[in-house]
């Protein structure tokens, strides 16, 4: 199981409470998903690699817009054993899922240096928002 980060939990709760409850017995279930869908666990808490298969960071959060679509990925970069790391934000569509040796992994067409030099993206625990 993958833990859902607080920012996604809050978004899900606000979306749920903002919609009217369906009439009794009106719940619908999905039995098939469109072929172009992917689970959040495909991205969340995954390593990110450059085009040459060098690890450049880790996805630490996914940000959803008001439309319910993921717009931004937060990537932890730099540091050693958690010391000196920072988080940066990138457009979600800049992450590409690739398959190698029967495993899925994430690739970005950038360098570790570019991510390290990107502006820091800070989380506000008080507001539970980035």
């Amino acid at each position: 199981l993958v833990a859902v980060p607080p920012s996604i939990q809050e978004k899900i709760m606000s979306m749920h409470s903002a919609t009217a409850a369906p009439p009794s017995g009106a719940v619908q279930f999905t039995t098939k998903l469109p072929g172009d869908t992917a689970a959040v666990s495909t991205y969340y808490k995954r390593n990110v690699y450059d085009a040459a298969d060098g690890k450049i960071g880790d996805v630490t959060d996914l940000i959803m817009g008001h439309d319910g679509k993921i717009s931004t990925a937060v990537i932890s970069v730099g540091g050693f054993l958690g010391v000196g790391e920072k988080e940066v934000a990138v457009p979600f569509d800049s992450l590409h899922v690739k398959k190698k040796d029967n495993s899925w992994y994430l690739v970005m067409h950038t360098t570790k240096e570019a991510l390290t030099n990107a502006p820091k993206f800070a989380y506000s625990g008080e507001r539970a928002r980035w």
Side-chain angles (χ1 to χ4, degrees), residues 11-112:
K11 179 64 178 175
I12 291 169
M13 294 304 290
S14 69
M15 288 170 50
H16 180 69
S17 63
T19 60
S24 180
V27 175
Q28 295 183 5
F29 297 93
T30 301
T31 57
K32 291 184 180 180
L33 296 175
D36 62 347
T37 60
V40 169
S41 59
T42 303
Y43 297 88
Y44 181 65
K45 295 289 184 184
R46 296 291 183 139
N47 295 334
V48 180
Y49 298 88
D50 60 19
D53 286 337
K55 183 179 173 196
I56 59 175
D58 302 286
V59 175
T60 58
D61 211 343
L62 299 168
I63 310 298
M64 293 182 348
H66 292 289
D67 60 1
K69 295 179 181 178
I70 298 173
S71 63
T72 307
V74 180
I75 298 177
S76 176
V77 62
F80 181 72
L81 297 176
V83 178
E85 285 182 341
K86 73 174 185 178
E87 291 176 305
V88 300
V90 299
F92 180 69
D93 62 4
S94 66
L95 293 172
H96 305 280
V97 180
K98 302 285 184 174
K99 191 170 187 177
K100 180 180 176 182
D101 300 329
N102 269 348
S103 293
W104 293 101
Y105 67 104
L106 300 174
V107 174
M108 278 186 70
H109 296 288
T110 191
T111 64
K112 186 170 190 168

